[in-house]
Amino acid sequence: MLADYSALVVTASNRASAGVYEDKGGPILVEGLTALGFAVDGPVVVPDGDPVEAALREGVTAGYDVIVTTGGTGISPTDRTPDVTRRVLDHEIPGIPEAIRAYGRDKVPTAALSRGLAGVAAGTLIVNLPGSTGGVRDGLAVLGRILVHAVDQLRGGDHPRPS
């Protein structure tokens, strides 16, 4: 249906990238974005920090419509995904991460601790999701309602008019 819509999934995890444990959030994201009709690449599993920035820049250069990250959004000293994402973005879209945090907060109060960002870099929408599988599912629940419209807008589409 939306085969010309492309997405890249990036997992930010020091331990998963080192093989300490298996990436669980990335495959859930791939499955969820595929179900939304996106052609999905990844998950690309990298350590948090500068490797995330490099993966984002590569994805923007490759022209993906959407890049969704999982992991590295918390408040621990190693959680740097939002910081490196901010360096890539042309502008932020604060409503997306606000909606994702609000969606998860009633079930899991610590969802409020996510520092995830969303924004646009050279026509690519980038969204940071938490690393937990629940945080990924909550993010997909929110993104499922807005992602196609957001991509259409970034491609220059008009707002739908009431009939």
Side-chain angles (χ1 to χ4, degrees):
M1 163 175 90
L2 304 171
D4 63 332
Y5 286 47
S6 62
L8 174 66
V9 171
V10 177
T11 298
S13 172
N14 296 332
R15 290 175 289 184
S17 67
V20 174
Y21 59 67
E22 186 180 346
D23 170 26
K24 292 194 177 4
I28 293 170
L29 257 180
V30 169
E31 182 180 320
L33 292 169
T34 300
L36 293 175
F38 284 78
V40 185
D41 288 332
V44 175
V45 183
V46 295
D48 202 351
D50 293 338
V52 174
E53 180 177 357
L56 292 175
R57 290 191 186 280
E58 288 170 19
V60 169
T61 299
Y64 286 97
D65 292 304
V66 178
I67 302 172
V68 184
T69 69
T70 174
T73 64
I75 60 173
S76 84
T78 59
D79 288 330
R80 300 201 26 242
T81 296
D83 310 295
V84 299
T85 298
R86 184 171 278 121
R87 298 196 302 235
V88 176
L89 297 177
D90 298 325
H91 58 270
E92 292 186 34
I93 307 173
I96 295 173
E98 289 167 5
I100 293 166
R101 284 187 282 270
Y103 185 88
R105 203 172 38 230
D106 290 339
K107 296 176 284 188
V108 183
T110 55
L113 297 177
S114 173
R115 299 185 307 119
L117 300 178
V120 177
T124 297
L125 176 65
I126 299 174
V127 180
N128 300 151
L129 296 182
S132 69
T133 56
V136 168
R137 287 189 178 96
D138 289 349
L140 282 167
V142 172
L143 292 175
R145 299 189 300 245
I146 62 173
L147 209 50
V148 170
H149 180 69
V151 169
D152 287 342
Q153 291 291 293
L154 287 171
R155 290 180 170 191
D158 199 4
H159 292 282
R161 303 271 184 241
S163 47

